[in-house]
Amino acid sequence: RVGIERDDRSREQVRALAVAFGGPDRKPVSPQSLATMDWDRAVLQFTPTLRVGHALTNSTAIWSVLSSNRTPPPVEALPQPAVVLVWRKELTSCFRTLDATEAAAVAHVRGGGTFGALCSMLVESDGDADGIRIAGELLAQWLRDGLVVAIEV
């Protein structure tokens, strides 16, 4: 059964990469549009090519190594399932593994939550200074990755 689950998850990741590559085009937000934003009420919209999946093995590490033409590590089961983010940036399908904090933040944003509520959630779990810092780091990462295509207030 474990072997079948691993194969299903690997196929799910391959499908997610294909869907991301063939998905609709949306340009990421411009850095200039961020300066006057009301961040308490801001609702981020991610690219329509974004997919969230789960991995039971180190498949994302294997994919990363294969894309750089190096010898991949052996397949290993992960101690806990990993959340994997898949999207397209310009003409490249991208993926990365999320930690628990970012996975919850992505789910919050995908559910229509405001950035202000995300900050509050992070402050509650990590304290004032760290919560705000983490929110800023997540936003910066999402902007670098080209994930944010619109911000509504």
Side-chain angles (χ1 to χ4, degrees):
R1 177 92 175 121
V2 172
I4 292 170
E5 289 177 25
R6 286 184 188 153
D7 289 344
D8 288 346
R9 296 292 182 169
S10 295
R11 280 192 284 277
E12 176 184 309
Q13 289 174 346
V14 171
R15 279 191 301 273
L17 287 167
V19 168
F21 188 77
D25 291 327
R26 291 284 305 273
K27 290 191 184 263
V29 296
S30 70
Q32 296 80 9
S33 69
L34 305 177
T36 60
M37 191 62 55
D38 177 355
W39 289 104
D40 286 336
R41 296 184 7 199
V43 177
L44 309 179
Q45 291 183 357
F46 287 139
T47 178
T49 63
L50 182 88
R51 299 291 180 270
V52 177
H54 297 85
L56 300 174
T57 66
N58 61 335
S59 58
T60 56
I62 292 170
W63 277 93
S64 294
V65 169
L66 288 173
S67 68
S68 64
N69 294 321
R70 294 180 290 152
T71 303
V75 175
E76 295 178 0
L78 298 174
Q80 298 289 326
V83 177
V84 180
L85 195 67
V86 178
W87 75 100
R88 187 185 76 226
K89 184 175 183 180
E90 297 175 357
L91 296 177
T92 303
S93 293
C94 305
F95 60 91
R96 63 185 175 82
T97 303
L98 305 182
D99 64 21
T101 299
E102 187 174 10
V106 166
H108 173 82
V109 169
R110 290 182 83 200
T114 65
F115 190 74
L118 174 62
C119 290
S120 295
M121 180 177 81
L122 292 168
V123 163
E124 186 176 314
S125 65
D126 296 287
D128 288 340
D130 285 341
I132 297 302
R133 177 187 53 77
I134 292 167
E137 289 172 351
L138 290 173
L139 178 61
Q141 179 68 54
W142 297 339
L143 293 170
R144 276 191 305 275
D145 288 343
L147 296 176
V148 182
V149 297
I151 304 175
E152 296 179 359
V153 180

